[in-house]
Amino acid sequence: MTTAVIERKWYTTKEVAVMLGYGLSKTKMLVLTGEIHSIKDGRNRRILPRYVDEYVERRAREAEAEWSA
């Protein structure tokens, strides 16, 4: 018998807040302003894993640019 593992396709705003070590209100603000992209699914917002990665990469590039300035 083979057990299928279903990988997460998206996260809630609360889950992303925990992943990033941010508060929920800060994460909601980042979603609201478009800093973190999201998808509207009914009344809820969902965030694809790649959107989280894009945000982290962008923040890292910005921080590196500040260090080298």
Side-chain angles (χ1 to χ4, degrees):
M1 182 172 160
T2 304
T3 303
V5 177
I6 299 173
E7 293 183 28
R8 299 292 304 262
K9 301 298 181 194
W10 55 29
Y11 301 109
T12 64
T13 306
K14 185 176 182 179
E15 291 169 326
V16 172
V18 170
M19 282 191 284
L20 295 175
Y22 291 167
L24 182 57
S25 60
K26 177 176 180 165
T27 306
K28 285 182 177 182
M29 184 58 70
L30 291 170
V31 168
L32 181 65
T33 61
E35 288 286 315
I36 297 176
H37 297 145
S38 67
I39 296 170
K40 184 85 166 148
D41 181 40
R43 293 176 41 206
N44 302 304
R45 287 270 166 202
R46 299 294 183 226
I47 302 168
L48 299 176
R50 76 170 184 258
Y51 295 165
V52 178
D53 293 339
E54 288 169 0
Y55 172 76
V56 171
E57 287 298 319
R58 188 171 58 254
R59 291 295 297 135
R61 281 193 309 271
E62 290 169 0
E64 290 170 358
E66 288 176 14
W67 295 336
S68 64

